[in-house]
Amino acid sequence: MNSVAKSLLKSVKHGRAAWLRSSSARSGKQHLRKLVLGIETSCDDTGAAVVDDAGNVLGEALHCQKEVHLQAGGIIPVVAQQLHRENIEQVVEEALSVSGVSVHELAAIATTVKPGLALSLEVGLQYSLNLVNKYQKPFIPIHHMEAHALTVRLTHHVEFPFLVLLLSGGHCILAVAQGVSDFLLLGQSIDIAPGDMLDKVARRLSLRKHPECHSMAGGKAIEHLAQTGDWQQHTFRLPMQQYRNCDFSFSGLQNLANKAIIQKEKEEGIQEGEILSCVKDIAAAVQHAVAVHIIQRTYRAMLFCIKNSILSSKNATLVVSGGVASNQYIRKGLQTLADANDFAFLCPPPRLCTDNGVMIAWNGVERLRAGLGVLHSTDGIRYEPKAPLGIDISKRVEEDSIKVPKLKKDMMVSILKSNLVK
């Protein structure tokens, strides 16, 4: 038996054991937990997982398209769609195999249907509906951002309500989670998302040609180089300082970064596509500006929620999730902000911050337990490339016009120190 087979067998046994351990009733007799299969294809990762209603992850699988899209310089929707089609069956079968669960044993199938790339969402929905119809299983349509927001309840004990910041390549959202499908939207990006912006700056800096970054995604390359850069060598004007709301903007910051890069290329006498000698300093400055912008808007959201008694000042919690939440510089800055304002700070582990099947299955479990959005007929179900999260109260935030105090020096020192953490 080769090492891969041994590893798979070990995973099967571990998953099955976890399921059996969690299947005891008060009488001491075993009973079957409700099992949900989650399927994720909203962007460029094909994910599947089986999770039970006690929060045990019985099996999971993921196919990442990163290498393909790195070569192309960005995600090409038709390519992502084709790769989803080629891999979805294998990914789902692997998740089921590792879990030791058959489709017949499932209580429901949960799948991302919004928001995301239309061509990618189509693949997951079509495959899932075929399974649902074949095995006559209930279907739970999942809002991708709701799933990110609730993943923390799989890994930590956190009660509603809580403040949640969702940072990714496609989204930047501040909301209050009041229940499983009950959100108050405080603010969001009015243009591009932070992950998208960091990727674009990385491409403009040609970081794929940098010896330390050739195999890294753009945002990861920026974070890596920033660790040994000096952000104070380049200062970028922070976006939206005149607007007292919780919305974000990153396109202007991207333009400022591009102008700085062009200026430095002229000074160094190099062409676009060559690596600047000050590339690490620019990476650090861009990352720092993104972090401070995010921190300032989150600070206002905290003050708004406490002022309006949406959150209790005694047990308030800030949850940060999404792919960009894996950035340790941004994460540590937000941790410092939370500490300074007596908020508990929680993040899912990095592997669950990026897109995956576990978060979709868990959202399915949460909805199944709450009896929300469980469909026994899938007639008319459609994917939605764009979909708001919750009730938009961003105008109320703006009307309150809360002034955010300047970030204290000790907070900024802490953020700077986080730049040195590997």
Side-chain angles (χ1 to χ4, degrees), residues 188-363:
Q188 59 189 324
S189 177
I190 63 172
D191 40 56
I192 62 175
D196 185 26
M197 178 260 182
L198 291 170
D199 285 345
K200 287 175 177 175
V201 172
R203 282 199 294 275
R204 184 59 185 80
L205 287 168
S206 302
L207 296 190
R208 292 237 37 225
K209 296 179 181 179
H210 196 286
E212 297 177 27
C213 306
H214 61 89
S215 62
M216 294 180 182
K220 197 67 183 174
I222 292 283
E223 181 183 6
H224 172 76
L225 293 179
Q227 290 177 339
T228 49
D230 180 2
W231 72 268
Q232 295 178 89
Q233 295 299 314
H234 303 273
T235 55
F236 297 118
R237 186 177 67 254
L238 294 175
M240 302 187 72
Q241 292 297 288
Q242 69 274 36
Y243 299 107
R244 292 185 181 178
N245 57 31
C246 287
D247 287 333
F248 303 84
S249 173
F250 297 95
S251 62
L253 193 52
Q254 180 194 333
N255 290 336
L256 291 175
N258 286 342
K259 287 179 181 178
I261 293 166
I262 292 169
Q263 179 61 35
K264 283 297 174 183
E265 285 172 343
K266 288 180 180 177
E267 291 176 10
E268 296 188 12
I270 65 172
Q271 299 294 316
E272 180 177 341
E274 297 180 72
I275 303 296
L276 288 165
S277 64
C278 60
V279 66
K280 293 184 177 182
D281 294 337
I282 291 178
V286 169
Q287 179 179 254
H288 182 74
V290 168
V292 174
H293 180 46
I294 290 170
I295 290 165
Q296 285 183 340
R297 310 317 267 190
T298 305
Y299 198 172
R300 179 172 286 113
M302 289 175 167
L303 297 174
F304 173 82
C305 289
I306 297 301
K307 176 188 173 185
N308 291 279
S309 301
I310 295 172
L311 297 175
S312 167
S313 58
K314 293 182 179 179
N315 56 358
T317 299
L318 170 63
V319 170
V320 182
S321 191
V324 179
S326 299
N327 181 297
Q328 291 301 306
Y329 189 90
I330 295 172
R331 184 184 287 211
K332 286 181 180 295
L334 289 164
Q335 168 85 68
T336 305
L337 175 70
D339 292 345
N341 288 276
D342 297 321
F343 270 62
F345 180 80
L346 296 175
C347 280
R351 74 179 190 85
L352 294 182
C353 283
T354 53
D355 296 348
N356 61 86
V358 173
M359 72 181 197
I360 306 305
W362 173 248
N363 197 177

